[in-house]
Amino acid sequence: MAPVEPPEEQYDGKSESAERGYWRWQKEDFFPEPSFASWGAYRSALAATPARFRDRFSGRSTDADELGELRHRSENEMRRCLTWWDLTWFGFGSVIGAGIFVLTGQEAHDHAGPAIVLSYVASGLSAMLSVFCYTEFAVEIPVAGGSFAYLRVELGDVAAFIAAANLILESIIGTAAVARSWTSYLASLINKPASALRIQTSLAEGYNELDPIAVVVIAVTATLAMLSAKGTSRVNWVASAVHVLVIAFVIVAGFLHAKTSNLTPFMPYGVPGVFRAAAIVYFAYGGFDNIATMAEETKNPSRDIPLGLLGSMSVITAIYCLMALVLSMMQPYTAIDRSAAYSVAFSNMGMQWAQYVVALGALKGMTTVLLVGALGQARYTTHIARSHIIPPVFALVHPRTGTPVHATMLIAVAGACIGFFSSLDVLSSLLSISTLFIFMMMATALLVRRYYVRGVTSRTHATRLVALLAVVIGSSAGIAAYWGVAPERWVGYTVLVPLWAAGTLGIQLLVPVARAPKVWGVPLVPWLPSLSIATNLFLMGSLGAQAFIRFGVCTAIMLLYYVLVGLHATYDVAHGACSDVDEEVYGDAADVDDPKAAAAAAATADGERADAKI
């Protein structure tokens, strides 16, 4: 199926919502669905939860719905003003942050030694596999929703909600964490202790250092993102260019002081140490998915997105490997400082002033991460609100700026509140596992997209696809679990790896391709997406039991919200209950406080829509 390109429209800043105004905060703006019109209607909706859950579990959106109907719910169009050049620099801005300066020294010292460069190669390979999957989807469905929209089309509402909940959680926690790190690096730049610029209080440990600077940084970057996407891109160009110059200095100056003797022993902690470090440094690559959310504002998605995403990530992978190599060659791995690796390394070489250059580079990197994050996270949130999983008021695009102001404010305010109070030591581990989980789901969705089309794929082939996907995912999870339990043993891999290969080969030979991309697609399907599933699950398995426990608890809380709120809102919207016609049908349920009468009216309306599934 050819990619559905949004029509070229001249943005005039006018819309049907002009008379209502943008700043509106009535109940109907947050909960316009009939299920929430009264307590009676809500009780009847809760009574129908099992049937509605089955409906939404099997429900699917379409490319056309995501590009058409859902976009119209924002009432105003986002401005299509970005090119591949903007996206490439957004890639640098969103990915190259403080992680490379902090994680490299930590993992080289603790787990990998000089082989940290191999850790970056392994994690870079995994990241590139995910980039391929994101790129194909972004070209075919160029909307602001990113992975949420793609999963909604291929895996359904429930899978998309799990992704949406994790995306919003990542956005809020990630914004807060980077902003607090910004304060620490600013203190380092002026030669002060990391906590010197925070307000010390008598609150509980982990909440006793208030950070007003983090709040200011979040407010400034969010304001820039709200004013203009193109203007934000220009600011990002300048900041990222400065950051690239700092990185170039680190690489060139580092190699001038490098000694090959420091590479021995190359792998002091063995292969397990290399992959354990890879699971950690992988998150220095995080943030590239923000670029996919800019597709709706890209002038030529089919050309600009592959160039921007793949081009920037290829260069970033090379930069990371060079930086890891140069650090390992400047000094023995046992002498690498865990918290300020590059600064201490240059200081030991007699270049004490270089620590300020490194701190400046890290500060610039975190600024662009917050800036591009404010853009991408708001666009995720906008599209999630278009589906009514969260209140649709957050889907509105401002008629003058052409940006999602409400969605940007939601993430900024929540992130600022957490960043002001919390050190995030506990919650930050959730970022790792939820990111990998979403990337795994994206690779699965790509295989479903290629090999299953409703009404085209036969039931037999659909059953085969499900079974073979279960083999691929199950064997990949088994490899990860076996690695966690017995990393030095090899017997289990002789069974699990061939099983993964057999599942992938089975998809290639036993299930016919149902859809081929017309413009740009992932090469070597099903092997590359299947390998992406395996690598993401493998890295998840390296994170430890506590990360999975926290992820499980948060997912359970998210699903509770879905059952109580999101399920009923999306059900109403999916069955047209928010249209003028459906308001007449649901009117009886909405206006009756008697639960039995409301339930009867809602059941009648549900029956009349039984054939209207998305």
Side-chain angles (χ1 to χ4, degrees):
M1 184 184 70
V4 184
E5 297 280 358
E8 288 283 357
E9 297 176 356
Q10 184 65 36
Y11 183 86
D12 60 7
K14 298 178 181 179
S15 76
E16 61 186 24
S17 64
E19 295 182 0
R20 298 182 62 195
Y22 185 79
W23 303 102
R24 50 187 194 263
W25 306 92
Q26 303 298 318
K27 175 182 176 295
E28 57 268 21
D29 297 313
F30 286 85
F31 297 103
E33 304 85 10
S35 290
F36 307 106
S38 70
W39 283 110
Y42 182 58
R43 286 193 294 270
S44 68
L46 290 178
T49 294
R52 291 186 171 194
F53 187 85
R54 288 192 298 271
D55 176 277
R56 289 296 80 214
F57 187 82
S58 61
R60 299 291 185 274
S61 182
T62 65
D63 295 12
D65 285 338
E66 298 298 312
L67 288 163
E69 180 186 348
L70 259 72
R71 287 178 63 203
H72 293 157
R73 292 173 189 166
S74 290
E75 297 185 357
N76 299 285
E77 292 288 328
M78 295 185 190
R79 289 175 177 158
R80 300 181 64 198
C81 57
L82 304 177
T83 66
W84 68 270
W85 180 256
D86 297 294
L87 298 182
T88 299
W89 282 103
F90 276 142
F92 282 102
S94 64
V95 176
I96 303 181
I100 181 65
F101 292 101
V102 177
L103 296 177
T104 309
Q106 170 187 306
E107 295 307 307
H109 184 279
D110 293 351
H111 295 131
I116 185 65
V117 64
L118 298 183
S119 300
Y120 271 104
V121 170
S123 55
L125 172 63
S126 179
M128 285 301 296
L129 292 172
S130 296
V131 168
F132 274 114
C133 297
Y134 268 89
T135 301
E136 178 171 330
F137 273 113
V139 169
E140 299 264 329
I141 314 175
V143 293
S147 54
F148 169 74
Y150 314 148
L151 293 173
R152 193 165 180 263
V153 169
E154 301 302 336
L155 300 184
D157 268 14
V158 177
F161 168 76
I162 294 173
N166 280 282
L167 286 168
I168 293 176
L169 181 65
E170 284 180 38
S171 299
I172 294 171
I173 296 176
T175 296
V178 174
R180 287 185 71 93
S181 296
W182 199 98
T183 304
S184 298
Y185 270 89
L186 179 61
S188 174
L189 190 62
I190 61 177
N191 207 25
K192 298 283 187 180
S195 299
L197 300 179
R198 299 192 179 105
I199 300 172
Q200 305 297 319
T201 70
S202 57
L203 296 175
E205 182 70 25
Y207 304 92
N208 58 333
E209 295 182 353
L210 306 184
D211 197 336
I213 293 178
V215 175
V216 172
V217 172
I218 292 173
V220 171
T221 52
T223 300
L224 286 173
M226 287 187 284
L227 290 176
S228 167
K230 189 66 176 180
T232 303
S233 177
R234 294 191 182 102
V235 174
N236 179 65
W237 291 354
V238 177
S240 296
V242 172
H243 198 195
V244 170
L245 290 176
V246 171
I247 288 174
F249 162 78
V250 170
I251 293 173
V252 173
F255 276 121
L256 290 176
H257 295 84
K259 296 179 181 178
T260 55
S261 60
N262 289 329
L263 294 177
T264 305
F266 184 68
M267 203 179 294
Y269 300 99
V271 175
V274 172
F275 284 107
R276 191 171 295 112
I280 304 299
V281 303
Y282 178 87
F283 306 107
Y285 292 94
F288 68 81
D289 50 327
N290 283 323
I291 306 172
T293 68
M294 312 306 296
E296 193 170 316
E297 294 157 275
T298 303
K299 292 181 178 180
N300 187 351
S302 59
R303 180 200 65 187
D304 295 339
I305 293 174
L307 286 174
L309 256 175
L310 296 173
S312 62
M313 286 301 295
S314 299
V315 175
I316 288 167
T317 300
I319 288 173
Y320 280 2
C321 291
L322 286 173
M323 290 189 70
L325 181 62
V326 74
L327 179 66
S328 299
M329 295 180 70
M330 287 176 69
Q331 57 190 331
Y333 77 93
T334 53
I336 293 176
D337 187 270
R338 296 182 74 259
S339 57
Y342 292 93
S343 297
V344 172
F346 280 116
S347 179
N348 291 340
M349 298 298 171
M351 301 171 63
Q352 286 83 358
W353 53 270
Q355 66 176 313
Y356 301 107
V357 177
V358 173
L360 177 64
L363 203 60
K364 287 287 186 181
M366 285 183 286
T367 302
T368 57
V369 166
L370 286 171
L371 193 60
V372 180
L375 282 176
Q377 293 156 4
R379 280 140 187 83
Y380 270 128
T381 306
T382 297
H383 205 73
I384 292 168
R386 287 170 176 172
S387 73
H388 287 229
I389 282 181
I390 63 175
V393 70
F394 296 109
L396 299 179
V397 171
H398 196 280
R400 184 175 61 82
T401 65
T403 60
V405 174
H406 286 161
T408 308
M409 290 177 61
L410 174 66
I411 300 299
V413 170
C417 289
I418 294 178
F420 182 66
F421 288 102
S422 175
S423 64
L424 302 168
D425 292 337
V426 174
L427 295 178
S428 59
S429 63
L430 289 171
L431 297 176
S432 304
I433 194 166
S434 61
T435 299
L436 286 168
F437 182 71
I438 291 173
F439 289 171
M440 183 276 292
M441 292 175 71
M442 282 291 297
T444 304
L446 182 66
L447 289 174
V448 172
R449 183 173 183 83
R450 289 289 193 95
Y451 289 95
Y452 176 79
V453 174
R454 183 171 294 187
V456 174
T457 304
S458 68
R459 180 178 293 274
T460 299
H461 289 143
T463 303
R464 287 180 187 172
L465 178 62
V466 171
L468 291 168
L469 278 175
V471 171
V472 169
I473 295 172
S475 59
S476 299
I479 292 170
Y482 191 76
W483 173 266
V485 174
E488 301 292 348
R489 298 178 183 176
W490 56 269
V491 178
Y493 302 122
T494 61
V495 176
L496 294 169
V497 173
L499 188 60
W500 168 84
T504 307
L505 184 63
I507 294 175
Q508 183 177 13
L509 299 180
L510 301 178
V511 184
V513 174
R515 179 194 283 118
K518 299 298 183 183
V519 178
W520 193 96
V522 176
L524 300 177
V525 174
W527 292 97
L528 287 189
S530 181
L531 184 60
S532 181
I533 292 172
T535 55
N536 283 307
L537 284 174
F538 183 82
L539 292 175
M540 284 176 67
S542 302
L543 291 174
Q546 286 299 317
F548 281 89
I549 292 172
R550 292 166 186 160
F551 178 70
V553 171
C554 286
T555 300
I557 295 172
M558 295 167 184
L559 287 173
L560 180 63
Y561 167 84
Y562 182 69
V563 169
L564 295 177
V565 180
L567 170 64
H568 308 292
T570 54
Y571 180 87
D572 285 349
V573 173
H575 291 278
C578 290
S579 66
D580 293 338
V581 173
D582 287 304
E583 284 176 2
E584 297 178 6
V585 178
Y586 264 83
D588 295 335
D591 297 331
V592 175
D593 284 327
D594 177 58
K596 293 182 178 180
T604 301
D606 291 347
E608 293 176 3
R609 294 184 191 83
D611 298 325
K613 290 183 181 179
I614 289 180

